[in-house]
Amino acid sequence: MNRNIIYLLLASFVALGGIAAGCTDTPGTTSAGSAPPTGEETAESAGNVTAGNNQFAFDLYDRLANDPAYAGRNLFFSPYSISSALAITYEGARGTTADEIRSVLHLPENDTLRREEFSAIDAVLNRADANYTLRTANALWAEETYPFLPEYTTAAARWYGANVTNLDFKGSPEASRETINRWVEEQTEDKIRDLLPTGSIDTMTRLVITNAIYFKGTWVKQFDVNETRDEEFRVAPNRTVTVPMMQRTDEDAIYGYAETDTFQVLEMPYAHGNGTELSMLVLLPKDDNLTAAEESLDAKALTDLRESLVSQEVEVFFPKFRLETDYSLPGVLAAMGMPTAFGGAADFSGMDGTNMLFVSEGVHKAFVDVNEEGTEAAAATGVVMDLKSAPVGDSTPVFKADHPFVFLIVEEDSGTVLFIGRVTNPAGR
């Protein structure tokens, strides 16, 4: 497949919320007026949505990494899940509200380009591969009595594959919340539970936009369980914890590898068949300087790092770890430049023809389990829309990850970042 097409196609995991009474589940025509693109049609325009998603990934990582509330803590999230859910939200935004969302997400302003690229991304992400599981699912959940505009629901269904389910938010908000959460659990193999917390849905809720993404893959070069040993991991200069450390030191341990003055880079590919190639890219600081790795997280630096990788024998020591994270999004997104969506000045008239809706809550949960066999990762995002009347070297290098590091799960050909995180303590949050 064309490298550019894949680069574009991996940036979409759309989370869409419900659509109202009288709307059908059948996609119709939109103002764009054209069918979803073929690979050839997308090739020339590929990269805009993916490049924007990657930049949003690094922007959000930087914001969280420098937030005192997360100081010293593990981080892990899916930028596609968040950006795609907000792209659906953006479809109904107007004026300043739309400008802010587009700026923070780095979305293409051209409607046709943006929609076609998201549509193409979904097609690639959901293409079957015998060696790994990778899928994304989108849904719209709407108050059954509320009149959403057909243009909005049609665009969501046509371009983002978001079908409509009508719920009784007015009469049964808690039952509606449980219905949405069950859907998320099913889409993520029960790895993301209770996405929408108690109280996030109430009688004033009119729309919930949800996305789920799930990945499970095995390493091309799996680790031998019998070689895993308990070893120390430095969580601070004078403090260690004991973790199970996997290792590959045999002559077949051939990986993509590079070094800079401040960190080592290791690329560990996942097995694949006819699907797109995926890998984990790990940035391991020298001298325990995690900041040096984090400061390199931008789109150009990522491209340069991947291009500098050389396939060679590497002695690899890597910890097993399992992370579960959750984030409330309104505060961080407002600080990043899109405060209007969360207040009384919000304009989502593209959804219902009025100025009565605003984003009352945004939640994101993520899960990752890294072991000898491979990696399992999942994430989900929920955007809740309420009425405004509601409250608001020369020798063989040794790569030993026994201290904090940054890691990314990357689509090989394009460099699209599927997941991103850091491990400061494999034994904790």
Side-chain angles (χ1 to χ4, degrees):
M1 176 176 288
N2 182 288
R3 180 186 184 96
N4 288 334
I5 300 175
I6 298 176
Y7 190 88
L8 150 70
L9 299 180
L10 272 164
S12 84
F13 289 20
V14 186
L16 306 186
I19 296 304
C23 300
T24 70
D25 291 355
T26 304
T29 59
T30 69
S31 58
S34 60
T38 65
E40 290 183 356
E41 291 170 343
T42 310
E44 292 184 359
S45 60
N48 289 300
V49 165
T50 292
N53 175 81
N54 286 0
Q55 189 57 53
F56 171 69
F58 301 135
D59 291 347
L60 181 55
Y61 181 97
D62 181 67
R63 178 69 59 171
L64 294 173
N66 290 287
D67 187 334
Y70 297 100
R73 293 179 56 183
N74 297 320
L75 296 176
F76 184 66
F77 62 92
S78 171
Y80 326 103
S81 182
I82 299 172
S83 64
S84 297
L86 291 174
I88 302 302
T89 308
Y90 171 78
E91 288 284 344
R94 299 293 183 267
T96 299
T97 305
D99 293 341
E100 290 178 354
I101 296 174
R102 185 176 66 249
S103 176
V104 169
L105 297 183
H106 306 282
L107 292 173
E109 187 171 0
N110 182 285
D111 288 344
T112 300
L113 175 64
R114 183 184 65 255
R115 292 168 176 174
E116 289 183 349
E117 290 187 351
F118 270 111
S119 179
I121 288 167
D122 281 343
V124 167
L125 291 176
N126 289 298
R127 187 175 59 192
D129 188 288
N131 292 281
Y132 64 75
T133 301
L134 175 61
R135 63 173 179 263
T136 183
N138 313 309
L140 287 176
W141 313 87
E143 161 55 39
E144 60 188 7
T145 65
Y146 197 77
F148 286 91
L149 295 175
E151 300 87 76
Y152 177 72
T153 59
T154 298
R158 178 179 177 84
W159 299 109
Y160 303 91
N163 291 321
V164 174
T165 299
N166 293 323
L167 297 176
D168 184 9
F169 290 131
K170 287 183 179 179
S172 303
E174 182 61 15
S176 298
R177 183 183 73 89
E178 292 174 353
T179 295
I180 298 170
N181 282 345
R182 281 196 300 271
W183 178 87
V184 171
E185 291 169 9
E186 292 170 359
Q187 299 299 325
T188 61
E189 301 293 329
D190 293 328
K191 294 302 181 290
I192 305 298
R193 294 178 174 271
D194 300 319
L195 173 67
L196 300 176
T198 301
S200 59
I201 303 296
D202 56 31
T203 58
M204 302 305 293
T205 300
R206 294 297 177 266
L207 178 67
V208 179
I209 301 174
T210 58
N211 163 262
I213 177 173
Y214 178 79
F215 166 70
K216 187 173 184 179
T218 58
W219 305 118
V220 169
K221 300 181 183 299
Q222 295 186 14
F223 294 86
D224 185 346
V225 175
N226 296 319
E227 296 295 323
T228 299
R229 302 283 187 272
D230 284 345
E231 296 197 20
E232 292 185 339
F233 183 99
R234 291 191 304 279
V235 297
N238 299 312
R239 187 165 71 91
T240 64
V241 295
T242 300
V243 301
M245 187 74 71
M246 306 181 291
Q247 56 183 294
R248 284 292 306 258
T249 58
D250 55 282
E251 62 183 12
D252 292 328
I254 307 297
Y255 295 92
Y257 179 80
E259 286 189 31
T260 71
D261 292 339
T262 52
F263 55 85
Q264 297 171 279
V265 185
L266 184 73
E267 183 179 59
M268 296 187 288
Y270 296 101
H272 73 99
N274 296 324
T276 187
E277 295 182 37
L278 304 170
S279 67
M280 178 180 287
L281 193 69
V282 185
L283 280 62
L284 179 67
K286 298 177 179 178
D287 302 321
D288 294 8
N289 184 9
L290 185 62
T291 301
E294 292 180 327
E295 288 179 346
S296 71
L297 293 177
D298 63 51
K300 183 180 186 304
L302 178 62
T303 299
D304 292 343
L305 285 175
R306 295 184 69 252
E307 290 178 348
S308 70
L309 293 171
V310 175
S311 183
Q312 66 180 93
E313 183 179 337
V314 185
E315 294 183 6
V316 176
F317 299 82
F318 199 71
K320 294 174 62 173
F321 62 91
R322 179 186 176 108
L323 307 179
E324 295 184 56
T325 61
D326 60 88
Y327 306 94
S328 177
L329 299 176
V332 66
L333 291 175
M336 290 174 68
M338 50 173 285
T340 306
F342 305 104
D347 182 354
F348 289 101
S349 56
M351 293 182 177
D352 64 350
T354 78
N355 281 314
M356 293 302 294
L357 295 175
F358 77 108
V359 178
S360 62
E361 181 61 281
V363 291
H364 181 75
K365 285 192 173 186
F367 163 92
V368 63
D369 183 7
V370 177
N371 55 40
E372 291 88 354
E373 181 180 346
T375 302
E376 185 175 24
T381 304
V383 177
V384 181
M385 311 291 301
D386 275 14
L387 290 177
K388 290 181 182 177
S389 54
V392 54
D394 290 335
S395 60
T396 300
V398 175
F399 186 94
K400 189 168 186 177
D402 63 350
H403 52 281
F405 58 86
V406 175
F407 70 102
L408 308 87
I409 296 178
V410 181
E411 188 280 315
E412 266 300 289
D413 289 342
S414 69
T416 298
V417 180
L418 291 170
F419 296 91
I420 183 173
R422 75 179 180 196
V423 174
T424 58
N425 183 354
R429 282 177 60 86

